[in-house]
Amino acid sequence: MTVKTSSARKNGTVRAGAEAASEPIPLRYGDDPYVWACWLYYEDHMTQGDIAEIMGISRATVNSYLADARARGIVNISLEPSRLSSLSIAQELKRHFGLHDCLVVPSDDNTRPLIDRLGGAAAQALAKLLKSGDTLAVAWGRTILAIAEQASVPGLQDVTIVQATGGTAASFAYTPELCAAAIASAVKAKLINITAPAVVSTAEVRDMLLREPLIHSQFGALAKANKALFGISSLRPNSTIHTSGFFESVSLQQYLARDAVGVVAGRFIDGQGNPVAGPLDDRTIGISLDMLKAIGLRIAVAGGFDKVPAILAALRGGYVNVLITDAATGRGILNADGVTELDQKLSQRPRVDNTVALPSNYRTHIKKFLNDPNDVVEEMLDGVVKANAAFVMPIKGSHRALVARTGPRPGKVGLVVGGGTGHEPCFLGYVGKGLADAVAVGNIFSSPPPGTIFQCANAASGGQGVLFVYGNYAGDVMNFEMAAEIAAEHNIEVRTVVTTDDIASSPLEDREGRRGVAGNFFMFKIAGAACDRGLSLDACEAVTRKANARTFTMGVALEPCSMPQTRRHNFEIGPDDIEIGMGIHGEPGVIREKMMSADAITDRIMDRIFSEMKPAAGDRVAVLVNSFGATPMMELYILFRRVEQRLSAKDITIEANWVGHYCTSLDMVGASITVMHLDAELTELLHHPCDTAVLRIG
């Protein structure tokens, strides 16, 4: 295992007093933060400050851990020998074979069978590795059954367990069917069996069965697995392969004669991990080695010195990226692959504990590209008009009221949107053919004035009325209502849809009190398409209201934004905190939590969205993963990856998606996820062509 430095990883884990875990403790340390802290301090020679940053706790807590560990006898200058040995072996296995992670069970006095200890360790690992929305392919064997007997993973949603190989009529307790069912029961998951024999009489029978619609669909589910759990069998006479009678229809000598050393998920491999051809190849129904290697997380659980050649072969073949084994087996694997000196491979850099009140790079102001901060909005708008001249132009010379060059036309309902600056490209970027006809622009985080909004309504009017669409904020509501009154005095009929997609800002029973945030993107798109298609004002209003009712957004802020005039953060988030449900103007979220993994954050959001959206299998949605300003595309795609997994697990299709900066909050670090629950009408309007500076469809 290679410990990540503080510059590479800033959100660690543990819960100590009021300090909450931000991501799981790495597998090799079990559930013991004391061992983790001691390892980093005594064996990796890190400073207490570095450890605090890696573990996501305070330096004082690190100090307390180290003191408590000494008092409890965990540490006496060095780690207790069996723990030290197993951690060293786990670290070297991870490094040597490039594993995602490795858990090594320490040697003991044989009071518990090895298979039970491996099962307990793997059950602990499964609780950390299995997430909501996962599809887990499960092989079979005594070890897998031992895992199921000790596993318990509460609180997951939409997990699917798929039997990785066909079944058997054998009477032993660890058949493929029973193992998959036991794991599914332990984690409260949906179970999909392969309702065909693992080994059939001829290749023709196998091909015929695989063409059956039911079995074909079961293999389709297996192909969607993103994680796999399997044991590794040796070919010694006492191995599961021999004692189960699973392959009794053929002589295993045919495989031994071709240098097979082990079996992975019913497939034979040689000492280098290459598949071994034999009489069962075209008679086996189950996961292939190529399918296994295509799965993202491949968890192998195996131990016992007789299995060293088989496990080493599986590692060499790339079938494993998470290994759970015991210390003796782990050392044997390393020795067999030429690694004999473990201790020399541990870092020996000296420990230096710096105590500096403030770091040299500490600063009180945020650097920005500015001239005069008081001119920031006008200069920005001047740049927008020049950069987007093909799409927008000022109304009567004012950059605060912009009209689309190819939007308004006689006989069409006009669409006016607007709000404060600081959210770019929101509002300004959605003006053009097939979208908004005009936009009214306010100061930073402030509503545009009524006169400016009326100028936009007048410019957008084509004689069929004007639709106002804007977010639910007190200033916007007041000024847009005043502008509507002015428009009425000029014989322009105005209808209004106030967007309320922020599900964190008010409970469901107070939907009308919610804020309008990044979901504006979808409401603007639907409203613009309806207007462009020549629908009546009544119809445009109705479909936009429907879009608003079927759009759900929730955001999370990691760091605050800073105002151009002050160049200081306009609110504070603790160094280890995140704000769940944060608004786009820095409004407080529903809860402040400790930093957690990207998947955990996404799960919190998606669970809340699902609870309101109540989707059904086969539904279609549109998805927006939006940066609040400073969050890069790399991290947004990580969030989208998890959104897709959660939707796919519910058999929900993403009809269209956008990932990027669509509704920001200056330079805030954070993101929001928006899901619009589509029906036929909304889908058609979503795909309607539009052409703006930010969004082009068709």
Side-chain angles (χ1 to χ4, degrees):
M1 156 244 169
T2 302
V3 176
K4 298 179 182 178
T5 65
S6 59
S7 62
R9 175 177 170 180
K10 295 189 177 180
N11 50 329
T13 62
V14 289
R15 183 177 296 272
E19 292 176 291
S22 58
E23 63 175 282
I25 297 174
L27 287 180
R28 51 201 172 278
Y29 304 107
D31 275 326
D32 197 336
Y34 294 90
V35 173
W36 188 11
C38 292
W39 178 270
L40 297 177
Y41 189 72
Y42 291 106
E43 297 300 322
D44 280 344
H45 306 287
M46 289 190 174
T47 68
Q48 292 185 22
D50 287 342
I51 297 168
E53 203 164 8
I54 286 177
M55 295 182 71
I57 58 178
S58 69
R59 191 176 180 279
T61 302
V62 174
N63 187 276
S64 175
Y65 277 173
L66 297 175
D68 288 349
R70 291 191 292 272
R72 292 165 54 183
I74 295 175
V75 170
N76 183 14
I77 302 305
S78 62
L79 289 177
E80 187 271 323
S82 67
R83 291 177 183 262
L84 173 61
S85 176
S86 64
L87 286 172
S88 299
I89 293 167
Q91 179 166 347
E92 188 59 21
L93 283 166
K94 182 176 184 293
R95 186 204 66 80
H96 186 71
F97 292 104
L99 299 176
H100 176 79
D101 216 332
C102 180
L103 175 59
V104 173
V105 178
S107 301
D108 67 358
D109 57 3
N110 295 320
T111 56
R112 292 179 65 206
L114 176 59
I115 195 167
D116 289 343
R117 291 191 290 126
L118 288 174
Q124 178 190 97
L126 201 62
K128 298 183 179 187
L129 297 174
L130 198 61
K131 308 294 183 185
S132 292
D134 281 344
T135 296
L136 178 70
V138 174
W140 62 279
R142 288 177 292 188
T143 306
I144 301 300
L145 189 61
I147 297 168
E149 290 171 345
Q150 301 179 69
S152 177
V153 190
L156 298 182
Q157 296 184 31
D158 307 314
V159 174
T160 301
I161 302 298
V162 186
Q163 184 179 321
T165 66
T168 174
S171 59
F172 53 83
Y174 46 87
T175 64
E177 302 95 326
L178 292 175
C179 285
I183 292 289
S185 176
V187 302
K188 305 296 187 293
K190 174 185 176 183
L191 173 63
I192 298 178
N193 291 114
I194 302 296
T195 53
V199 179
V200 296
S201 55
T202 66
E204 291 74 21
V205 171
R206 186 199 69 166
D207 294 343
M208 179 187 69
L209 288 172
L210 291 177
R211 287 194 296 269
E212 287 294 317
L214 175 60
I215 299 174
H216 183 75
S217 69
Q218 292 163 352
F219 267 80
L222 182 59
K224 293 180 180 179
N226 63 324
K227 293 173 183 174
L229 177 67
F230 55 96
I232 299 172
S233 178
S234 73
L235 296 181
R236 293 173 65 87
N238 65 342
S239 69
T240 300
I241 292 299
H242 285 276
T243 59
S244 68
F246 198 74
F247 295 119
E248 60 186 7
S249 62
V250 299
S251 171
L252 295 183
Q253 291 300 323
Q254 297 181 59
Y255 287 96
L256 290 170
R258 297 174 184 177
D259 299 321
V261 299
V263 176
V264 174
R267 308 287 179 169
F268 292 82
I269 57 175
D270 66 16
Q272 297 302 315
N274 300 311
V276 175
L280 293 176
D281 288 0
D282 55 2
R283 293 168 48 197
T284 299
I285 295 178
I287 192 170
S288 68
L289 291 175
D290 286 340
M291 287 176 68
L292 178 61
K293 289 178 75 170
I295 293 174
L297 201 68
R298 305 178 296 281
I299 310 162
V301 188
F305 206 74
D306 62 308
K307 291 190 177 183
V308 166
I311 300 171
L312 177 58
L315 290 166
R316 287 172 171 170
Y319 306 113
V320 180
N321 59 12
V322 174
L323 176 64
I324 300 170
T325 189
D326 63 288
T329 304
R331 187 178 291 276
I333 293 167
L334 290 167
N335 290 344
D337 212 39
V339 180
T340 57
E341 297 296 332
L342 298 180
D343 295 337
Q344 294 180 5
K345 296 184 177 294
L346 296 176
S347 172
Q348 296 298 320
R349 65 185 179 88
R351 180 166 67 242
V352 180
D353 208 352
N354 296 317
T355 55
V356 181
L358 289 175
S360 59
N361 64 346
Y362 179 82
R363 61 184 190 273
T364 60
H365 291 75
I366 308 301
K367 289 179 282 189
K368 294 178 179 289
F369 291 106
L370 299 174
N371 295 309
D372 185 339
N374 294 319
D375 296 334
V376 63
V377 173
E378 290 301 330
E379 290 184 350
M380 183 268 292
L381 290 173
D382 188 38
V384 166
V385 170
K386 289 180 167 65
N388 300 338
F391 302 98
V392 299
M393 58 184 178
I395 298 174
K396 297 182 178 180
S398 170
H399 290 170
R400 299 294 184 121
L402 305 177
V403 64
R405 288 188 179 274
T406 58
R409 62 180 184 269
K412 169 188 172 300
V413 172
L415 174 61
V416 174
V417 302
T421 49
H423 305 301
E424 293 72 35
C426 194
F427 308 123
L428 293 165
Y430 304 133
V431 181
K433 172 68 175 172
L435 235 160
D437 295 297
V439 60
V441 184
N443 288 324
I444 295 174
F445 296 169
S446 300
S447 170
T452 300
I453 300 169
F454 167 69
Q455 285 185 323
C456 292
N458 192 47
S461 176
Q464 299 300 311
V466 172
L467 181 65
F468 285 172
V469 183
Y470 54 89
N472 189 21
Y473 300 93
D476 291 295
V477 171
M478 179 180 68
N479 288 348
F480 272 90
E481 286 181 350
M482 291 174 64
E485 293 173 0
I486 298 171
E489 295 172 357
H490 289 77
N491 298 316
I492 300 173
E493 183 180 4
V494 172
R495 301 284 179 83
T496 294
V497 176
V498 179
T499 62
T500 56
D501 57 298
D502 186 355
I503 62 177
S505 55
S506 286
L508 182 59
E509 56 269 22
D510 186 30
R511 173 80 195 231
E512 293 184 355
R514 289 176 169 177
R515 302 181 294 234
V517 285
N520 280 325
F521 173 86
F522 287 128
M523 272 76 89
F524 294 167
K525 177 66 187 74
I526 297 301
C531 294
D532 194 52
R533 286 190 164 199
L535 273 62
S536 68
L537 183 58
D538 287 342
C540 291
E541 178 189 7
V543 75
T544 306
R545 290 191 184 281
K546 178 167 70 171
N548 182 57
R550 296 171 70 94
T551 300
F552 310 88
T553 300
M554 191 166 170
V556 175
L558 309 185
E559 300 287 353
C561 59
S562 57
M563 303 295 285
Q565 289 79 8
T566 64
R567 293 192 295 117
R568 295 177 183 269
H569 289 148
N570 67 335
F571 61 96
E572 291 299 329
I573 298 178
D576 303 318
D577 295 336
I578 60 175
E579 191 85 20
I580 298 177
M582 174 68 72
I584 56 174
H585 306 116
E587 301 94 336
V590 294
I591 190 170
R592 184 164 288 196
E593 295 270 14
K594 292 300 179 184
M595 185 61 196
M596 59 187 75
S597 69
D599 281 0
I601 291 172
T602 307
D603 285 347
R604 289 284 291 270
I605 294 174
M606 294 305 295
D607 288 346
R608 179 69 185 275
I609 289 176
F610 287 148
S611 71
E612 292 205 11
M613 188 170 76
K614 302 189 185 312
D619 284 356
R620 308 182 80 82
V621 298
V623 173
L624 173 71
V625 177
N626 168 66
S627 171
F628 282 158
T631 300
M633 293 295 294
M634 175 185 289
E635 296 171 32
L636 298 180
Y637 282 122
I638 292 171
L639 298 178
F640 178 79
R641 157 194 158 277
R642 184 61 175 163
V643 171
E644 190 280 335
Q645 289 175 351
R646 294 300 309 275
L647 291 167
S648 178
K650 289 186 179 292
D651 194 24
I652 299 170
T653 299
I654 298 178
E655 176 75 22
N657 62 262
W658 288 267
V659 179
H661 296 65
Y662 291 94
C663 183
T664 62
S665 183
L666 292 171
D667 56 350
M668 187 187 294
V669 180
S672 62
I673 295 170
T674 303
V675 179
M676 183 165 70
H677 197 180
L678 296 172
D679 62 9
E681 182 182 30
L682 293 176
T683 300
E684 189 174 353
L685 292 172
L686 187 68
H687 291 303
H688 182 77
C690 66
D691 189 17
T692 73
V694 172
L695 184 62
R696 177 173 294 175
I697 295 176

